Amino acid sequence: MATIAVKAEFRGLNTDQPINRLPSGTARDSRNVSFDGLIPGGRPGFDEWDAHSEHGILNMAVFPLGAGDYYVALACDDGLVYYAERYDAADGKADIESWTVWADQWSGHNSSDAGSFFTHHDRLYYFDRVGGSKWHPTTNYKPTSTYDGDYEDGAVADAWKAGIQSTLNTPITAAHGGSKNGFYRTALVKKDSNTDALSTFTDNPQDDAVETRCHGATGGLSTSADDWRLSRAADSAYEWDTAVGLCTMGSTETNLATETPSFQFFADIEVGRLTDAGLGFNKADHVLYYLAKGRPFANAGGTPPGCLHAACNGSRAVYGGVYSGSDLVPGQIMYSLDGQPAMVPGEHLYTVHEDKTTLQPRPWKGFLDSAISGVVTGIGCVGQRFVVFTQTHSFWLFPAGDGRLKASNSRVTGGCLSHTGSVTTAHGAHALGADAWMFASTKGLSDIARYRFKTLLQEIPSAQRTASVAGAFPARHEVWMAVARENFDCQYIMVHDGSADTDEAVADSADNDNFTYAFQLFSDTVHEDDICYFGWTAKTARTLTLAVNRPAVYDSTKHWTWEYYDDDESDWVALTISADTTDPDNSDGSESFKDDGKLTFSISGTWGSTTIEEQAAYYLRCRPATGKAANITQTPILAPTGPSRILVFDEARGELMAKYDPRNLCGATIKAMVELVTPSEGPIMLIGLSDGRILSWPSASFVDTDSDGTYNYSTYWRGFFAQERRHRDLQIAGVGIHMGDNDSGLTVAAAGVRTGADTHTTAVEITATQTNELVEPDLEFDPNTHGNLFQLTLSTDVSTAEGAVANTPGWEVDDLILELRTTDK
């Protein structure tokens, strides 16, 4: 019989197709395994990067300035937005500064909306249902309650200013001090109405700019007539007859080169008659005068709305999940003028004392009221087009000839279930839908999970699919999607604290809104009388599935006793555990809670219902074995109800490559993910958590860490290999593995596959000394097993010793060879 060698190429996950239809090297399961190019290995750890411990994180952005400085911004559940400098270009400083509040006109944003960040012209914008704000660290003057005729001692503020709101949006009266205090940038640009040509103005009207502010006595925008004087030389080569006034978006800035206006006001002025007149912004009644004379100001902009979603493609912005006051307007889309992402044309009522005048939008109204069906859950940018997601559908927005945006249904079923479940990359826009992963690109819209990993998406608990979080990791060409995982499959979990003799309900599947954090099954210090109860509404259950976020750690053996309530005995009796995959070393339940898995049990008597914490159910209970409480050095915590698992999609390869389960969430859920790259740091992915901490990945080690401890984790990869187009069956004769880094015992198992009943050979561990060499594990293969397909498993277990690193997943497989022998079959 001839022996041939098959060189393995590792591919992404496919959970949907029959294994005999999979390309060689495809993974059926993968957990905590990352890829460096084509090389698999145990993933690096997640480190605690920083902590904003007072408030949970809702959203996060990294903001690189044109000057080379880098900032991180957080929207938090106290309704405030914070920033901290991460890198200072002037001195190369890389240590993160303390978190500082961005003051805004709203006295805080919403405390539950994740909202949206985007950048434009060196400014960072943030929107939620309350409204929008923009920020730059050094170009805003501090506002004063009254205007004293001068800047406030030239002081520069590292804070938000008035936010995004035009002065024409609210009543302008003396009592209001001109609607709001603060500085506003206005500019005058000359226009020839015959040719529509503007004087040299792009986004930098430096030559004709003046500083104005709300005037407490007269209302409106106030400046002297001299500042607005319209004069031209008799021999001017540029003929103009129209003045265009620009009012900036909210805060005044000292650097007009990057100013973003929210309104344009046009006034047709005959220069010969009005050469020595002011334009009329200095007094509100002047505005009404021009309106009455039939030479109206026409509003060519407007304030961006309070909204849940805002996206900018570098030139124009689209706003969805729009709020009118406190009411969400389903399906409404608002969009800006091209080149001015903060300028949204719309009608605006101008009120001066008792007089009211409505300024009409020009050249059109930037609203789409009926083209989108359903509540907008995400917006992405694809070139000059936008894709808008609802929970069930996707729509394209594209520019028409007159500059408006038009909408069309994508005709592909699928949307975005979560308001935080979409992200835009250089390749397109990704969104997690109902058992679908939608991808919009210049080639169109498709469900990239179809026929590949839809089964994996179906494992996400249905009640938690609207909480998924998307993030982009451009340096690795990856899209990360944080999703929930099933943390337990019983209906109730109750904990009895033996030291206080009290019972507490920690989980109720019918009311999981009360249990948004992870479930700690025992107190930090375990006592002999501590008990954890697992309850079902029906007594047909024979398995208990648990997703462990923080594993239990022991310093001896045989730590747990399992019991069920026997109706005939009216007492708790011993429960037989026949299998326990939460413990890779034992199957009897005596050392459970080390990893995700399932306990299989049998009931020898009559399982009866009993009441714990006023809840009747069929309960199992777990308690420390006699004399073993002190040997439980770390108590287990189940995965939280919310995003705690990260799915990793490689855009370059077009495949879902990995699942990461961070062990150091410690009860928190994932709320935001964003890449950070500075001249001295990264690229790393920052992961914002519901408890205010920020994790980073990758770290230099192979453990997950936080300020309270170090947590080991298991790794697992299972896939299938074959030699293509073989007409005769083969037997597996051996496996050769070229190890790269190997700081742990990697377990290898292999087998030929013909039926679902086929099993692996006896697993063999590759020791830590076998680094950067070709290893041939001494695997024993069944000579009667032959076929065209062979299964390979690579794994490491969670360490069972506190602080141990012997079983941490620091391994790497640079190359893998399957030795196959031909048969007569």
Side-chain angles (χ1 to χ4, degrees):
M1 292 185 293
T3 300
I4 60 176
V6 174
K7 181 179 174 63
E9 177 183 346
F10 291 88
R11 298 177 182 269
L13 278 159
N14 190 308
T15 61
D16 294 2
Q17 295 295 315
I19 58 175
N20 61 346
R21 296 182 183 178
L22 298 178
S24 181
T26 299
R28 198 59 155 185
D29 194 9
S30 177
R31 188 175 71 225
N32 291 327
V33 173
S34 62
F35 282 79
D36 183 7
L38 301 177
I39 299 175
R43 69 160 173 84
F46 288 82
D47 277 346
E48 185 171 300
W49 184 76
D50 194 71
H52 189 266
S53 57
E54 294 182 5
H55 307 289
I57 295 170
L58 297 173
N59 204 345
M60 185 163 52
V62 171
F63 180 34
L65 291 179
D69 301 335
Y70 288 79
Y71 289 82
V72 178
L74 308 176
C76 294
D77 61 9
D78 60 347
L80 298 177
V81 185
Y82 298 79
Y83 76 93
E85 186 179 28
R86 182 62 191 180
Y87 180 82
D88 190 306
D91 56 15
K93 181 176 60 178
D95 293 335
I96 195 163
E97 299 288 323
S98 59
W99 296 100
T100 304
V101 176
W102 298 357
D104 58 57
Q105 75 178 73
W106 313 112
S107 298
H109 283 270
N110 186 268
S111 61
S112 60
D113 292 346
S116 298
F117 287 99
F118 71 73
T119 60
H120 180 70
H121 277 182
D122 221 26
R123 301 294 183 270
L124 181 62
Y125 296 86
Y126 176 72
F127 291 86
D128 68 359
R129 74 181 67 191
V130 174
S133 297
K134 76 170 178 180
W135 178 81
H136 184 282
T138 60
T139 59
N140 293 333
Y141 280 99
K142 291 180 179 179
T144 56
S145 57
T146 58
Y147 171 47
D148 59 6
D150 198 0
Y151 295 129
E152 185 188 2
D153 301 323
V156 174
D158 293 334
W160 293 65
K161 293 296 159 284
I164 303 170
Q165 186 182 49
S166 77
T167 52
L168 298 187
N169 234 6
T170 54
I172 298 179
T173 66
H176 284 84
S179 176
K180 63 178 185 238
N181 293 314
F183 297 87
Y184 299 86
R185 174 72 69 180
T186 60
L188 180 65
V189 181
K190 308 174 184 69
K191 176 183 176 183
D192 184 338
S193 62
N194 293 320
T195 63
D196 281 340
L198 293 178
S199 60
T200 54
F201 167 72
T202 53
D203 292 313
N204 184 13
Q206 294 268 19
D207 295 338
D208 296 294
V210 295
E211 286 288 349
T212 63
R213 68 192 63 234
C214 294
H215 196 284
T218 61
L221 294 171
S222 176
T223 188
S224 68
D226 288 338
D227 289 330
W228 288 103
R229 191 177 304 279
L230 307 181
S231 60
R232 63 187 177 94
D235 58 351
S236 174
Y238 185 82
E239 296 293 332
W240 60 275
D241 54 14
T242 302
V244 179
L246 298 180
C247 174
T248 66
M249 178 183 175
S251 314
T252 293
E253 300 183 358
T254 58
N255 180 6
L256 195 60
T258 53
E259 191 67 61
T260 306
S262 58
F263 277 88
Q264 290 182 2
F265 301 102
F266 293 84
D268 293 331
I269 299 175
E270 296 180 10
V271 176
R273 289 191 294 122
L274 297 177
T275 300
D276 297 325
L279 184 62
F281 278 177
N282 61 318
K283 292 184 180 292
D285 56 356
H286 289 183
V287 177
L288 298 183
Y289 167 78
Y290 284 114
L291 290 171
K293 287 293 185 180
R295 300 182 180 277
F297 289 97
N299 170 27
T303 307
C307 62
L308 301 180
H309 303 284
C312 178
N313 63 6
S315 179
R316 92 186 316 164
V318 169
Y319 304 89
V322 172
Y323 272 79
S324 176
S326 60
D327 298 324
L328 178 65
V329 185
Q332 187 176 87
I333 292 290
M334 299 174 69
Y335 57 92
S336 75
L337 295 172
D338 195 20
Q340 301 291 352
M343 192 179 290
V344 180
E347 292 184 352
H348 289 274
L349 181 65
Y350 188 16
T351 304
V352 180
H353 298 289
E354 301 299 323
D355 298 320
K356 297 182 179 180
T357 301
T358 298
L359 300 183
Q360 296 298 323
R362 180 175 174 180
W364 29 253
K365 185 178 180 181
F367 285 49
L368 289 173
D369 290 321
S370 58
I372 308 296
S373 59
V375 175
V376 175
T377 53
I379 304 175
C381 303
V382 182
Q384 292 303 303
R385 295 189 297 171
F386 294 86
V387 59
V388 177
F389 299 106
T390 68
Q391 287 195 325
T392 56
H393 291 85
S394 304
F395 302 82
W396 287 106
L397 297 183
F398 55 92
D402 61 356
R404 305 186 197 206
L405 290 182
K406 303 293 185 182
S408 67
N409 196 315
S410 68
R411 302 185 184 276
V412 176
T413 301
C416 181
L417 289 179
S418 168
H419 283 287
T420 53
S422 64
V423 67
T424 295
T425 72
H427 299 272
H430 296 255
L432 193 65
D435 303 333
W437 186 304
M438 307 306 297
F439 176 57
S441 70
T442 54
K443 297 180 180 180
L445 186 73
S446 62
D447 175 11
I448 57 179
R450 190 180 185 188
Y451 303 131
R452 294 198 284 178
F453 53 92
K454 181 177 181 179
T455 304
L456 177 62
L457 300 183
Q458 291 172 337
E459 297 174 0
I460 303 171
S462 57
Q464 297 299 317
R465 294 184 181 186
T466 57
S468 301
V469 177
F473 202 167
R476 292 178 59 89
H477 304 286
E478 291 176 351
V479 173
W480 286 25
M481 194 71 69
V483 300
R485 52 193 174 123
E486 188 175 47
N487 44 10
F488 57 89
D489 62 357
C490 57
Q491 279 74 55
Y492 309 103
I493 299 179
M494 310 289 183
V495 171
H496 175 78
D497 185 341
S499 63
D501 195 23
T502 58
D503 294 329
E504 179 185 3
V506 297
D508 181 346
S509 62
D511 189 20
N512 261 341
D513 288 342
N514 290 331
F515 306 102
T516 56
Y517 286 84
F519 311 109
Q520 184 164 331
L521 301 184
F522 298 90
S523 57
D524 289 332
T525 302
V526 180
H527 303 90
E528 292 286 346
D529 296 330
D530 287 352
I531 303 172
C532 184
Y533 299 90
F534 303 90
W536 289 262
T537 55
K539 59 181 179 180
T540 56
R542 289 298 181 269
T543 60
L544 171 61
T545 300
L546 300 173
V548 177
N549 180 241
R550 187 181 76 182
V553 176
Y554 314 111
D555 63 7
S556 65
T557 59
K558 305 297 182 182
H559 297 89
W560 302 113
T561 296
W562 289 85
E563 298 169 318
Y564 73 97
Y565 187 79
D566 189 294
D567 205 21
D568 293 336
E569 299 290 337
S570 298
D571 200 359
W572 297 92
V573 299
L575 177 72
T576 300
I577 303 292
S578 58
D580 180 8
T581 58
T582 72
D583 176 8
D585 303 313
N586 303 279
S587 61
D588 59 2
S590 62
E591 296 182 37
S592 301
F593 312 120
K594 295 178 184 176
D595 204 354
D596 295 355
K598 180 183 297 185
L599 289 89
T600 303
F601 57 88
S602 59
I603 304 292
S604 59
T606 303
W607 195 4
S609 174
T610 189
T611 300
I612 307 294
E613 190 61 20
E614 301 182 353
Q615 180 62 60
Y618 296 91
Y619 287 99
L620 307 181
R621 74 179 191 180
C622 178
R623 57 182 178 83
T626 302
K628 293 293 186 177
N631 299 112
I632 304 169
T633 58
Q634 179 172 283
T635 57
I637 296 178
L638 298 187
T641 301
S644 61
R645 165 169 286 169
I646 299 170
L647 307 180
V648 180
F649 184 85
D650 188 321
E651 290 190 294
R653 300 179 66 167
E655 294 183 296
L656 187 73
M657 298 303 296
K659 298 181 295 185
Y660 297 160
D661 294 335
R663 289 295 190 185
N664 51 351
L665 298 182
C666 300
T669 57
I670 297 170
K671 289 293 189 178
M673 299 183 292
V674 64
E675 182 190 60
L676 173 66
V677 185
T678 75
S680 64
E681 184 177 18
I684 58 175
M685 186 67 120
L686 300 181
I687 301 96
L689 304 181
S690 58
D691 63 1
R693 288 180 299 137
I694 302 174
L695 305 181
S696 65
W697 188 93
S699 72
S701 64
F702 294 92
V703 289
D704 292 341
T705 62
D706 66 16
S707 57
D708 295 326
T710 298
Y711 309 100
N712 296 311
Y713 46 90
S714 64
T715 66
Y716 185 81
W717 189 94
R718 178 170 62 95
F720 299 92
F721 297 91
Q723 186 183 27
E724 301 293 342
R725 300 180 180 178
R726 289 294 302 179
H727 298 291
R728 301 177 64 185
D729 282 357
L730 302 170
Q731 288 178 337
I732 186 166
V735 176
I737 299 179
H738 188 175
M739 298 301 300
D741 294 334
N742 184 25
D743 296 328
S744 66
L746 174 65
T747 298
V748 180
V753 177
R754 289 180 64 84
T755 70
D758 292 331
T759 59
H760 279 106
T761 62
T762 302
V764 173
E765 181 177 308
I766 298 175
T767 65
T769 60
Q770 296 164 325
T771 299
N772 197 25
E773 63 178 279
L774 181 64
V775 180
E776 296 184 1
D778 186 16
L779 299 174
E780 297 180 3
F781 301 102
D782 183 352
N784 296 316
T785 300
H786 50 83
N788 284 325
L789 193 64
F790 303 92
Q791 179 174 268
L792 182 77
T793 300
L794 308 172
S795 63
T796 59
D797 293 335
V798 175
S799 172
T800 58
E802 183 177 16
V805 295
N807 286 329
T808 56
W811 58 271
E812 181 181 285
V813 174
D814 288 347
D815 205 356
L816 186 144
I817 304 294
L818 292 179
E819 297 177 11
L820 304 177
R821 183 183 302 118
T822 60
T823 73
D824 296 330
K825 302 292 184 178

